[in-house]
Amino acid sequence: MEKINLHIVLNNFINDSRVLKETKSIAESHLFDKVYIAALLDKGVTEHEIIDAKREIWRVPLKTRKFPKDIFSQTIKYIEWMLKIFFRYKNENVKVVHCHDLSALPIGVLFKIIKRTKLIYDAHELETEVDELTGLRKKISVLWENFLIRYANQIIVVSDSIEEWYKKKYSLKNIKVIKNVPCKIRDSNSNMNILKEKFNIRADDMLFIFQGSISVGNGIQAVLNTFSKVESKKHIVFMGYGPLVEQVKDYERRFLNIHYQSAVKPEDILRYTQCADIGISFIENTCLSYFFSLPNKVFEYILSGLPIIVSNLPEVKKIVFEYNCGWVVEIKENDLLRLIESITYEDIKGKKENVIKCKNNFGWDKEEVKLLKTYYNLTNNKLSMDSEICVE
């Protein structure tokens, strides 16, 4: 009977780069015959999708999807989603269930109790300390997580600060940090000026890039206002998607040094990033989850050889100070304007030399080893260090 590794996410699973990296590493480890991903069916996506010979996605269709969005109806939808996943895989030889958020954890606990599977809880953020959770919902979520997390054989988090928070909050020890770092790319000189060519930016003009979610909480307005005031030889490209894209496009129409590039395929991101001179990664301190976050964009910039500008938060600040690979600034328009106007090519050269030195300290190949050690321990197998390193 085929050995199964089941991953569960409560989204439509279109661009979840972390889950794709993790499942690819697990599939190539030969620990399982199949790696399944259970998600949620949404408009515009297919129900069944084959990623490769070992990995398949099932997006769960809900008969209750047409119900309204009040709390009672949402609970009914969630119960249908949860039960459909359980009954779809309950007769499979599932060895490890890997839950990628708190919403998925009850299904993992159900598998562990009834099927005696191993259970991994992979918290992609500080699950109960996000902006969306307030009041009674937050209190219930904390109680729910405190109860369910005890069933996990292994807890995975994305930063050292979040690890410490979970240890203190729930008095746990079985926690491992696996950072959301992209795969390394092979050095290439092709298309190195793709962004400057597309937006008619002079080769000797300075290009900043802001990639990722173009949404509230990422300092978008402060960056737009700043670049609307700096000298024309300093440009910014916003690359990604989100609710504030139209606002970026409005500034693009009014200012010659502000540009918008739509989101590119995950495998192309670093090749676009390499075109810039400096990467910007801002997370506003609006909740504890954001305060302790360590965005993958920081690592994308570093692996692309770019110095970085980050907000004054502990995890990202620690990297900048440890490697002297960028600048830390408050997300305030005046502070950011002073910094952008002061940066010279000599400054970039010095920081870039430090980025090149520290690049080898980061990469999914290093995080992959930690992930596979966890899986080998849970399945009582010996870890082979001969597996192919993740390089795109």
Side-chain angles (χ1 to χ4, degrees):
M1 196 172 184
E2 287 187 326
K3 291 186 292 185
I4 305 298
N5 174 217
L6 176 62
H7 292 252
I8 306 173
V9 295
L10 185 53
N11 59 48
N12 58 15
F13 197 74
I14 296 177
N15 289 311
D16 199 324
S17 61
R18 180 175 176 88
V19 181
L20 284 171
K21 289 195 297 278
E22 289 182 332
T23 54
K24 182 175 186 289
S25 297
I26 294 163
E28 291 176 351
S29 72
H30 306 296
L31 281 169
F32 305 96
D33 299 298
K34 287 287 185 180
V35 178
Y36 292 134
I37 302 164
L40 180 65
L41 185 64
D42 206 351
K43 291 181 180 178
V45 293
T46 57
E47 180 177 342
H48 296 279
E49 183 180 341
I50 296 175
I51 301 175
D52 51 40
K54 282 197 171 183
R55 293 182 293 166
E56 297 180 16
I57 305 168
W58 178 46
R59 299 182 177 94
V60 182
L62 300 180
K63 291 182 179 179
T64 56
R65 196 63 186 264
K66 58 186 178 182
F67 285 14
K69 292 187 176 181
D70 59 87
I71 189 166
F72 176 76
S73 299
Q74 294 290 77
T75 302
I76 297 299
K77 294 176 194 177
Y78 174 71
I79 291 172
E80 182 190 359
W81 176 75
M82 184 172 69
L83 291 177
K84 278 190 170 180
I85 292 174
F86 179 75
F87 284 107
R88 164 65 180 82
Y89 297 105
K90 74 180 180 68
N91 293 324
E92 301 274 7
N93 186 25
V94 178
K95 294 295 186 181
V96 179
V97 178
H98 193 134
C99 300
H100 289 271
D101 54 35
L102 181 55
S103 301
L105 191 53
I107 312 174
V109 172
L110 196 61
F111 272 98
K112 180 166 185 179
I113 293 173
I114 297 176
K115 296 282 293 178
R116 306 185 76 175
T117 62
K118 300 294 184 180
L119 174 60
I120 295 175
Y121 177 34
D122 192 341
H124 293 197
E125 58 184 338
L126 198 47
E127 295 281 334
T128 60
E129 300 293 328
V130 295
D131 280 333
E132 296 79 12
L133 281 181
T134 57
L136 183 60
R137 284 185 62 211
K138 180 174 180 175
K139 291 178 181 178
I140 292 172
S141 295
V142 171
L143 290 172
W144 196 226
E145 184 178 57
N146 188 24
F147 171 71
L148 296 171
I149 204 169
R150 312 289 169 182
Y151 288 90
N153 297 93
Q154 181 67 58
I155 300 153
I156 294 173
V157 296
V158 294
S159 76
D160 296 333
S161 296
I162 293 178
E163 177 190 25
E164 288 304 311
W165 186 91
Y166 271 109
K167 282 181 177 179
K168 292 177 181 177
K169 182 72 174 180
Y170 300 127
S171 300
L172 298 169
K173 294 182 179 179
N174 57 331
I175 306 175
K176 182 172 291 187
V177 177
I178 298 179
K179 298 181 178 71
N180 193 17
V181 184
C183 296
K184 293 177 180 176
I185 61 171
R186 296 183 177 92
D187 292 333
S188 172
N189 293 320
S190 62
N191 294 328
M192 287 303 290
N193 292 313
I194 186 171
L195 288 177
K196 285 190 174 182
E197 290 173 2
K198 177 176 180 177
F199 296 112
N200 296 316
I201 300 171
R202 291 169 55 93
D204 57 345
D205 284 357
M206 196 178 293
L207 179 57
F208 297 73
I209 188 168
F210 190 114
Q211 63 189 47
S213 178
I214 302 176
S215 57
V216 174
N218 291 332
I220 302 298
Q221 191 62 61
V223 177
L224 286 171
N225 289 343
T226 297
F227 277 88
S228 70
K229 298 173 182 176
V230 300
E231 59 176 300
S232 60
K233 286 183 172 293
K234 293 185 176 179
H235 295 251
I236 177 77
V237 171
F238 290 85
M239 187 172 78
Y241 57 89
L244 298 185
V245 164
E246 289 306 315
Q247 189 172 342
V248 172
K249 289 181 178 180
D250 176 60
Y251 273 76
E252 181 182 39
R253 287 187 287 268
R254 294 189 285 131
F255 301 97
L256 296 176
N257 65 330
I258 296 176
H259 315 278
Y260 173 68
Q261 165 66 49
S262 58
V264 300
K265 296 178 181 179
E267 60 268 26
D268 293 331
I269 288 175
L270 298 191
R271 293 180 177 89
Y272 273 74
T273 308
Q274 286 178 329
C275 304
D277 298 299
I278 295 175
I280 299 177
S281 176
F282 282 159
I283 300 292
E284 296 178 26
N285 183 18
T286 60
C287 63
L288 200 57
S289 182
Y290 284 1
F291 184 71
F292 288 150
S293 66
L294 186 53
N296 66 329
K297 304 305 169 190
V298 168
F299 299 112
E300 287 176 356
Y301 295 145
I302 290 173
L303 291 177
S304 299
L306 269 61
I308 54 180
I309 298 175
V310 300
S311 46
N312 188 20
L313 299 179
E315 289 291 332
V316 289
K317 179 168 64 175
K318 183 167 62 176
I319 289 176
V320 170
F321 287 166
E322 182 176 352
Y323 298 104
N324 192 20
C325 60
W327 301 264
V328 177
V329 65
E330 298 290 343
I331 309 179
K332 296 177 181 177
E333 195 175 316
N334 289 338
D335 292 351
L336 185 57
L337 182 59
R338 280 194 294 269
L339 174 62
I340 299 298
E341 287 182 332
S342 70
I343 293 175
T344 66
Y345 268 112
E346 281 300 309
D347 296 329
I348 294 174
K349 181 181 178 183
K351 300 290 186 184
K352 194 176 183 70
E353 288 174 356
N354 293 330
V355 172
I356 299 302
K357 291 176 184 176
C358 78
K359 273 175 66 174
N360 288 334
N361 293 309
F362 305 108
W364 181 247
D365 56 297
K366 299 186 183 303
E367 306 305 312
E368 177 186 61
V369 172
K370 294 186 281 185
L371 176 69
L372 293 183
K373 279 183 178 178
T374 295
Y375 266 86
Y376 277 87
N377 288 336
L378 289 180
T379 55
N380 296 317
N381 283 275
K382 291 183 179 179
L383 176 61
S384 171
M385 301 305 292
D386 298 327
S387 60
E388 183 180 351
I389 290 177
C390 178
V391 178
E392 292 179 349

